[in-house]
Amino acid sequence: MFRRDVKNIKDLVMQNLRENGLETPLLQKRLVDAWPEVAGPSVARFTREVSIYNQVLYVKLSSPVLRTELSMRRQTFIDKLNHIVGARIITDIRFN
């Protein structure tokens, strides 16, 4: 009798994405989509655009006061967002 090498479908999909260079863009998309959840509804209302470039999350806000306040909590946001996607995708956040 032979033993089958049974693998989880999630692991197979992630392995395929990794081999084709698509894992990081997928995780970046998940991180950007998680911004409103992590920041909260009041901050999400003032968020105009969220993007990632060179491991830096750029968040455009319509309120200068909010920019200053969020800058002080930068590391908390970085930790929460990276935890949600399960990988170290961003190293910094810039609020514009």
Side-chain angles (χ1 to χ4, degrees):
M1 203 187 244
F2 66 93
R3 189 172 179 179
R4 294 182 187 223
D5 186 21
V6 179
K7 294 184 179 180
N8 186 344
I9 189 73
K10 178 185 175 189
D11 295 336
L12 291 172
V13 169
M14 290 307 287
Q15 179 184 354
N16 188 10
L17 289 171
R18 193 174 305 117
E19 289 172 358
N20 291 308
L22 300 172
E23 181 182 32
T24 301
L26 175 66
L27 293 175
Q28 288 177 344
K29 172 73 170 124
R30 287 182 182 167
L31 190 137
V32 168
D33 291 345
W35 171 253
E37 176 188 334
V38 170
S42 57
V43 174
R45 209 176 24 199
F46 292 100
T47 301
R48 297 294 171 235
E49 185 180 332
V50 181
S51 61
I52 297 176
Y53 182 73
N54 285 340
Q55 292 187 318
V56 176
L57 181 69
Y58 292 92
V59 180
K60 291 188 180 181
L61 300 167
S62 61
S63 170
V65 174
L66 191 58
R67 262 182 256 155
T68 305
E69 181 184 335
L70 294 181
S71 292
M72 290 184 260
R73 299 181 357 200
R74 173 182 282 127
Q75 191 58 47
T76 303
F77 287 123
I78 292 170
D79 295 340
K80 285 182 181 179
L81 288 165
N82 283 330
H83 179 73
I84 284 177
V85 296
R88 187 167 169 85
I89 300 298
I90 60 169
T91 57
D92 194 15
I93 299 178
R94 304 252 170 90
F95 297 102
N96 307 17

